[in-house]
Amino acid sequence: MSNNFIELLSPMGGVMCKGELAGNDAGYSAMKSFVKEHAHVGWTLSVFDALTESTIEIDCCDLAEMPKIVSYI
């Protein structure tokens, strides 16, 4: 995990990460590492926007898509 991210227990079980995505690859490497370490079936990607206090849920059929989606957002 990157120094810009911390791992937290999710309120619904499991683990989540929290942190700044700004950097050389917009969080791609950190997300790739997180997914590899915590991969499981049935994952969705939740993205919280602190500015608008809104959350979006993205259903990623292929976990390999998650780092790409996170770095795009």
Side-chain angles (χ1 to χ4, degrees):
M1 249 0 238
S2 163
N3 290 337
N4 296 332
F5 283 87
I6 58 171
E7 292 183 8
L8 306 166
L9 293 177
S10 170
M12 299 185 325
V15 180
M16 64 182 185
C17 65
K18 179 179 179 179
E20 286 292 322
L21 295 178
N24 294 340
D25 64 359
Y28 180 88
S29 298
M31 283 288 84
K32 186 174 180 180
S33 173
F34 183 83
V35 168
K36 184 178 179 180
E37 188 174 334
H38 300 287
H40 64 275
V41 176
W43 242 10
T44 59
L45 175 61
S46 300
V47 179
F48 179 74
D49 177 11
L51 184 62
T52 63
E53 297 184 355
S54 301
T55 302
I56 61 170
E57 294 286 332
I58 302 170
D59 186 9
C60 299
C61 298
D62 179 4
L63 292 182
E65 294 176 345
M66 263 192 209
K68 295 175 200 170
I69 293 168
V70 168
S71 64
Y72 180 74
I73 293 172

